[in-house]
Amino acid sequence: MRKCCLSAVGVLAMSLLIASVALLVAHVLQRVVDLQVKEETVLKNGTEAFDLWEDPPPPVYMQFYFFNVTNPLEVVNGETPFVEEIGPYTYREYRPRADVHILDNGTRVSSVNPKTYVFEPEKSVGDPEVDLIRTVNIPAVTLMEWTKSTSLRLPTEILLLLYQENLFTTHSVHELLWGYKDKFLSMLHVLHPEVDSEFGLFNKMNGTDDGEYVVLSGKMNYLNFSKIVEWRGQESLNWWTTESCNMINGTDGSAFHPLISTDETIYVFSSDFCRSLYITFDSFVSVSGIPAYRFVPPEKVFANTSVNPDNEGFCVPAGNCHGSGVLNVSVCKQGVPILLSAPHFYQADEKYIKDIQGMHPRKEDHETFLDINPLTGIVVQAAKRMQINVLLRKLDGFIETGSVRTLVFPVVHVNESVLIDEASAKKLKSVLFEATVVASIPFIIMALGIILGICFIVLVCRPPGTKEESTEEERAPLIRTS
C-alpha cells in the first residue's frame, strides 16, 4: 500500500511539473488572455471598449497659464521682454462623441467630438472675467503681416493709428480665451464679412467640434483599433509641402490598441498641432496602482531640418524653417502668425529661451506624456502640453512695431490633462487581476508539483518505522482469573 501511495505522489508531482513547463514554454494561457483582450477591444455596440471610447468617464481638465508682459514700451524699443506667468485658469472639459455611425459592416466608425468647457474656480488662481493680461495684440499683428507687402499697407497703418492700436493690448482672461469684439476687426468685417469681428484664442471652440473623424473599429485587426483614416472627409492634409508631413497617422490620443510593447512607436494625430506626431517609450510607471508604460514625444519630433530632415515639409513657405522646438502653424490658422512649442520652450533651441526673460523649462511641468496600460491600451494618465506663441518682428511702414527684435513671443501655455477616475481604476484593476491569475496558472501548477515532489522525496528517504515492544501489562490477558 505504501509503495502505491509513493508511486502516485511521484507520478503526480512529475506530471504537474511537466505540464507547468509545457504551458510556460508554449505561452498557452497568456495567449488565451491576449486573445480575449483582442476580441473585446472592438468598436461595436455592447462592448465596454465602445462605451469608454464614446464617453470616457475620467475627467479632463484644461489649464491655461498666461504670460503677462511687464515692460511693453521697452520691448517696442528693442529691449528684452520680461513676462510673468499667471495661472492656472482651469476648465473642466466635457468631450462625449456625437453622431456616431457604424460603417462598412462594422469595420469603420464615424463621429464628431464636441468639447465643452466649464470653469473650475477652486482649481484656479483667480476670476477669468476680472483678471487682466497684457499680451501681444494678435489681431493688429496679423493684419500688419497680411498687408505688409500689398497696396493695403498704408490704409492698414492709417486705421491702426485711427483706432490707436498698439503692439500690445490688455484684456481679461475670459476675453483672450473665448473672444471679444475687436473694434478694428469689426470695421473690417463690414467690408469683408468673411473676417470675424471677434477674436479669441479659443473663439467659437466651446461647445463645438473640430470636424468628423472616421476611424477603424479594430474588427479586422486589433492593431488598427480607433486608428484615424479620414478627417473632415479627407484621408490626408494639404497644409504642408511633403506627402509624409501631410499624412494622418494614428489615433486621436484618447485610445490605443491593446498589447502595447516598449519598442513600438505610437502615432497620434492632433488637430491642434495640424499634424501627426509620434511618441516613444520613456519609462515604467504606476498610476493608482495600475502598471503603465510612459510614452513621450522625442526631441526629434520638433527638431529642425539639420537634425531631422523629415521635418522639411513643415517649413512653410518652403525653405522657411524655424529652429528646433517650434512649429509654424499659420498655414492652418487662417494666416495668423501662430507658432506652437512646448511650454517655456522646453526642448527648443536655447535662443528662444534667452530671448524672453521669464522662461524656465522643466521636464516634470512642461513635457507631454501618455501613461498607457500595456495589456488593454487604456490611457490611465496623460498631459498634452503646448504653448501658443506669436511671431513678432519690425515691419517697415508700421510704426507700431518700433524697433522690436524678431521674437517668438509666448502668449499662453496649455495643460490638457486626464487621470483615471476611482471607479474606472477599480474596474481596470479587476480585469488585470483576472488576467494575472489566468497567466499565473502554470506557476501555481509548478508550485504544487514542487510541493508534491518534496513530499515524495521525504517519504522515500524516511526509514520504515519499527514496532515498539509492548509492556508486561499490555501483554496481560484481558480476563484475569484469581
Side-chain angles (χ1 to χ4, degrees):
M1 183 68 180
R2 182 174 181 272
K3 289 183 178 180
C4 290
C5 290
L6 284 175
S7 299
V9 171
V11 171
L12 182 58
M14 186 60 68
S15 300
L16 290 174
L17 289 172
I18 292 173
S20 65
V21 171
L23 289 172
L24 286 172
V25 171
H27 301 289
V28 174
L29 295 178
Q30 186 60 57
R31 289 179 180 176
V32 170
V33 172
D34 293 350
L35 181 61
Q36 184 69 20
V37 171
K38 291 177 184 178
E39 290 177 348
E40 292 181 358
T41 310
V42 178
L43 293 178
K44 65 178 181 180
N45 286 318
T47 64
E48 192 164 346
F50 182 83
D51 294 338
L52 292 174
W53 173 82
E54 187 176 32
D55 191 7
V60 180
Y61 293 98
M62 285 279 280
Q63 294 177 304
F64 299 94
Y65 299 81
F66 281 87
F67 294 105
N68 187 60
V69 185
T70 61
N71 62 335
L73 295 179
E74 289 80 358
V75 175
V76 174
N77 290 329
E79 296 184 22
T80 300
F82 283 76
V83 299
E84 58 177 352
E85 182 181 283
I86 301 177
Y89 294 91
T90 305
Y91 292 77
R92 172 76 184 271
E93 180 182 320
Y94 295 89
R95 48 189 304 168
R97 300 182 194 273
D99 296 332
V100 179
H101 300 284
I102 308 297
L103 310 172
D104 299 339
N105 197 29
T107 60
R108 296 186 177 201
V109 183
S110 67
S111 68
V112 294
N113 194 194
K115 298 177 182 179
T116 303
Y117 302 95
V118 178
F119 182 62
E120 295 275 345
E122 68 279 3
K123 297 180 183 292
S124 304
V125 298
D127 186 347
E129 301 271 4
V130 176
D131 295 355
L132 299 178
I133 302 293
R134 183 189 293 115
T135 187
V136 177
N137 189 341
I138 298 178
V141 170
T142 300
L143 289 169
M144 287 188 280
E145 288 284 350
W146 283 354
T147 61
K148 65 180 184 295
S149 301
T150 71
S151 59
L152 295 176
R153 182 193 60 76
L154 182 58
T156 300
E157 172 63 359
I158 292 173
L159 289 173
L160 288 170
L161 293 172
L162 180 64
Y163 285 100
Q164 298 180 335
E165 295 286 344
N166 297 310
L167 196 60
F168 295 95
T169 186
T170 301
H171 288 280
S172 71
V173 169
H174 182 85
E175 289 174 332
L176 290 172
L177 286 176
W178 311 115
Y180 60 91
K181 201 169 187 65
D182 184 86
K183 54 187 177 182
F184 194 28
L185 292 178
S186 298
M187 183 276 301
L188 288 178
H189 179 72
V190 175
L191 302 175
H192 300 280
E194 68 276 9
V195 176
D196 199 329
S197 61
E198 293 188 355
F199 172 79
L201 295 168
F202 292 82
N203 185 33
K204 297 181 180 177
M205 292 176 66
N206 195 347
T208 61
D209 62 79
D210 60 347
E212 184 185 60
Y213 288 82
V214 178
V215 304
L216 297 177
S217 68
K219 179 181 179 180
M220 305 301 293
N221 187 336
Y222 78 97
L223 292 172
N224 290 331
F225 175 74
S226 72
K227 181 181 178 182
I228 301 169
V229 290
E230 285 184 21
W231 179 56
R232 294 181 175 176
Q234 302 295 323
E235 295 182 355
S236 62
L237 309 174
N238 56 14
W239 295 313
W240 311 111
T241 60
T242 62
E243 184 178 347
S244 61
C245 291
N246 277 318
M247 293 177 67
I248 298 176
N249 296 321
T251 74
D252 64 359
S254 63
F256 297 95
H257 68 78
L259 308 179
I260 288 175
S261 65
T262 58
D263 59 354
E264 69 178 290
T265 298
I266 296 177
Y267 285 87
V268 176
F269 172 72
S270 172
S271 62
D272 293 329
F273 281 91
C274 308
R275 59 166 289 187
S276 298
L277 313 169
Y278 61 89
I279 52 179
T280 56
F281 175 77
D282 177 71
S283 58
F284 298 97
V285 296
S286 178
V287 180
S288 300
I290 299 169
Y293 294 165
R294 173 160 291 186
F295 283 80
V296 303
E299 289 189 45
K300 191 177 179 181
V301 171
F302 293 109
N304 62 32
T305 53
S306 63
V307 177
N308 185 4
D310 293 338
N311 281 343
E312 185 176 359
F314 295 116
C315 300
V316 286
N320 181 26
C321 301
H322 291 272
S324 290
V326 170
L327 176 68
N328 181 1
V329 294
S330 58
V331 67
C332 62
K333 302 297 181 183
Q334 301 172 328
V336 180
I338 296 291
L339 295 91
L340 299 181
S341 69
H344 288 254
F345 298 111
Y346 172 71
Q347 290 187 336
D349 284 348
E350 190 69 19
K351 66 177 181 179
Y352 297 121
I353 301 171
K354 291 182 177 179
D355 279 347
I356 310 291
Q357 288 294 320
M359 297 292 99
H360 306 289
R362 289 185 297 271
K363 175 183 174 73
E364 59 272 20
D365 295 328
H366 303 138
E367 180 179 57
T368 291
F369 68 86
L370 289 98
D371 295 340
I372 308 170
N373 176 253
L375 178 65
T376 61
I378 292 175
V379 177
V380 293
Q381 183 177 225
K384 183 174 76 174
R385 293 159 171 166
M386 69 174 184
Q387 181 170 293
I388 299 174
N389 311 281
V390 176
L391 178 64
L392 283 190
R393 55 184 172 177
K394 176 179 172 57
L395 297 174
D396 293 336
F398 292 104
I399 63 173
E400 291 78 12
T401 60
S403 301
V404 67
R405 295 186 295 164
T406 299
L407 299 166
V408 177
F409 205 98
V411 176
V412 63
H413 75 82
V414 184
N415 178 28
E416 184 179 21
S417 62
V418 62
L419 174 65
I420 190 168
D421 59 288
E422 187 175 343
S424 298
K426 185 178 180 180
K427 188 179 296 185
L428 180 54
K429 284 179 184 178
S430 176
V431 171
L432 296 177
F433 177 75
E434 292 175 5
T436 301
V437 169
V438 173
S440 299
I441 288 177
F443 296 100
I444 297 173
I445 295 174
M446 180 179 289
L448 291 174
I450 292 172
I451 292 171
L452 288 175
I454 292 172
C455 292
F456 174 77
I457 294 171
V458 169
L459 291 173
V460 168
C461 295
R462 181 181 178 184
T466 56
K467 293 183 179 179
E468 296 181 359
E469 293 186 7
S470 58
T471 65
E472 185 177 345
E473 189 173 345
E474 288 174 336
R475 293 195 299 271
L478 295 176
I479 302 176
R480 301 184 183 186
T481 59
S482 54

